[in-house]
Amino acid sequence: MPIQILPARLANQIAAGEVVERPASVVKELVENSLDAGATRIDIDIDKGGSRTIRIRDNGKGIPKDELSLALSRHATSKISTLDDLEAIVSLGFRGEALASISSVSRLTLTSRTAEQEEAWSAYAEGRDMDVQLKPAAHPVGTTLEVLDLFFNTPARRKFLRTEKTEFGHIDELLKRIALSRMDVTINLRHNGKTIRQYRAASTQVQKERRLAAVCGSQFLNHALAVELAHGDLKLSGWICSPQGARSQNDIQYCYVNGRMMKDKLINHAIRQAYETSLPPDRYAAYALFIEVDPHQVDVNVHPAKHEVRFHQARLVHDFICQGLQSALIQGADEHEAVVAP
Ligand code: ADP
Ligand code: MG
């Protein structure tokens, strides 16, 4: 076969292989877009584990009519425009891939209205390589993305979808992670027409702890030690369990860097080292930790799903987390003793 440029649709479907693994990955991309748009309320409606419908409605700033079709194109983003921007990412998205990828493997409708516009507009794309059709629509300021029949045109991928329950479980777990990281945003989740989760926006400490308990369970809250530390631009906050609150599974391990969920080896290592010998054998730490670092000091463009980061001062970050958590654990142990001592 001679060398040839792939048709846009096929190129997008190949890219979709990296971004869109299952319904939960679609939900992740769309909710992150809503958060980047400044939404304070996000409603998520799922049918059949997401294989039939994923509908996400937000009250963010919306997309202007003349940018709707561009939003569905590959490498089209409003979030960065220069290499300098790429080196100091403050938004969750930046590659301009998600909507193009998702629309290449589903029937996608994008409806949006900005505050400046009198009416809303809708863009429809199916397996996207035709012109996007725009139609007037009814919608308050904000955006709704509706994704129907995920992988309808890529049967090999559709076959890999698990049961409705499993796929919905992934979505639920993902939204827990997001609900923790953005306590200021109301998030509602429905499945097959039934309300499953209602995370109300929290601002006071009491409300935040209620939300923490809603995600991590009240048992975690009972054993949680609050963490709040800073070293120059580096900040660490959140909750860790006392050794008594350690779990038999590693099911409550939430970690964020600049608001982005992470499964990062360096961070995990620092946390494990902080507990060192204080964890009983076969027990796992539970934590919800938020790391804030100058965006220039961290590279988020190292992993397709952005799960890993590269800290420029890796050693410093590692030791800051480890020592910070150690002192929180020691302080927690002291307080515990003070309470039980007569
Ligand atoms: P990225 O998030 O990497 O920029 P996406 O393909 O996810 O790329 O989105 C493309 C563009 O569409 C975004 O840069 C943004 O301008 C716009 N967009 C997508 N979703 C929303 C939304 N819910 N509200 C407002 N704008 C959105
Ligand atoms: Mg995005």
Side-chain angles (χ1 to χ4, degrees):
M1 219 183 280
I3 297 175
Q4 52 191 312
I5 304 273
L6 297 173
R9 173 175 174 169
L10 186 55
N12 284 337
Q13 285 170 338
I14 292 170
E18 280 178 33
V19 188
V20 191
E21 190 192 343
R22 59 181 356 141
S25 9
V26 174
V27 176
K28 174 174 189 284
E29 293 296 333
L30 300 187
V31 171
E32 289 189 348
N33 280 344
S34 297
L35 293 172
D36 281 343
T40 57
R41 174 177 171 156
I42 306 174
D43 291 288
I44 299 136
D45 258 296
I46 304 293
D47 281 330
K48 300 254 176 236
S51 68
R52 177 176 292 167
T53 312
I54 298 170
R55 192 180 310 107
I56 302 203
R57 177 187 180 111
D58 70 47
N59 64 353
K61 65 179 161 57
I63 304 173
K65 179 193 173 193
D66 58 0
E67 292 178 20
L68 280 177
S69 150
L70 204 52
L72 301 177
S73 315
R74 196 139 170 243
H75 307 307
T77 180
S78 58
K79 297 169 193 174
I80 60 171
S81 57
T82 65
L83 182 61
D84 281 351
D85 297 338
L86 181 62
E87 284 170 358
I89 299 278
V90 288
S91 55
L92 294 165
F94 57 84
R95 294 193 187 124
E97 298 258 24
L99 295 189
S101 296
I102 296 165
S103 66
S104 74
V105 292
S106 69
R107 307 181 213 275
L108 181 143
T109 307
L110 166 58
T111 306
S112 198
R113 193 188 134 195
T114 62
E116 292 74 37
Q117 276 169 217
E118 292 287 316
E119 50 179 358
W121 289 84
S122 229
Y124 177 76
E126 178 179 315
R128 166 117 179 110
D129 58 354
M130 71 296 194
D131 287 336
V132 175
Q133 298 296 317
L134 290 188
K135 280 194 292 200
H139 198 284
V141 173
T143 303
T144 294
L145 255 302
E146 186 178 66
V147 175
L148 302 181
D149 305 326
L150 185 63
F151 301 140
F152 79 96
N153 55 357
T154 48
R157 306 222 106 210
R158 191 159 177 99
K159 214 173 63 196
F160 274 101
L161 291 179
R162 300 290 163 224
T163 63
E164 195 178 314
K165 186 160 168 266
T166 301
E167 295 299 341
F168 183 76
H170 285 287
I171 293 171
D172 190 28
E173 181 56 32
L174 166 89
L175 289 172
K176 284 184 181 179
R177 293 178 166 263
I178 292 176
L180 266 188
S181 75
R182 290 297 305 270
M183 296 205 179
D184 55 326
V185 178
T186 294
I187 299 174
N188 297 314
L189 172 63
R190 287 153 58 86
H191 190 205
N192 297 332
K194 239 177 65 193
T195 297
I196 307 293
R197 307 277 175 204
Q198 287 184 300
Y199 302 112
R200 278 175 227 284
S203 51
T204 67
Q205 193 62 16
V206 172
Q207 290 169 338
K208 285 182 183 174
E209 290 185 354
R210 198 174 298 145
R211 183 132 159 183
L212 180 69
V215 175
C216 299
S218 48
Q219 209 206 338
F220 173 69
L221 188 61
N222 292 339
H223 291 281
L225 308 169
V227 180
E228 180 95 64
L229 298 155
H231 175 86
D233 280 342
L234 206 51
K235 294 193 181 70
L236 175 66
S237 62
W239 296 268
I240 57 171
C241 72
S242 64
Q244 293 77 20
R247 301 177 61 81
S248 56
Q249 288 178 49
N250 60 350
D251 55 345
I252 302 182
Q253 299 193 333
Y254 299 103
C255 180
Y256 305 83
V257 175
N258 292 351
R260 196 187 293 283
M261 310 174 266
M262 285 295 147
K263 296 176 189 156
D264 190 76
K265 288 200 193 77
L266 175 101
I267 300 172
N268 287 351
H269 183 270
I271 297 171
R272 230 175 310 122
Q273 193 169 323
Y275 280 93
E276 239 190 340
T277 52
S278 66
L279 280 186
D282 305 331
R283 293 258 138 183
Y284 296 88
Y287 49 83
L289 288 172
F290 307 91
I291 299 159
E292 297 288 332
V293 46
D294 175 350
H296 288 99
Q297 291 296 319
V298 58
D299 189 359
V300 294
N301 194 21
V302 294
H303 187 278
K306 308 181 191 123
H307 277 155
E308 286 166 27
V309 285
R310 202 167 289 143
F311 295 104
H312 295 191
Q313 297 182 286
R315 192 75 232 169
L316 183 87
V317 174
H318 178 279
D319 294 352
F320 168 69
I321 296 172
C322 180
Q323 286 159 16
L325 297 185
Q326 271 171 343
S327 52
L329 287 167
I330 290 169
Q331 206 182 327
D334 288 350
E335 279 164 19
H336 186 68
E337 265 166 40
V339 175
V340 290

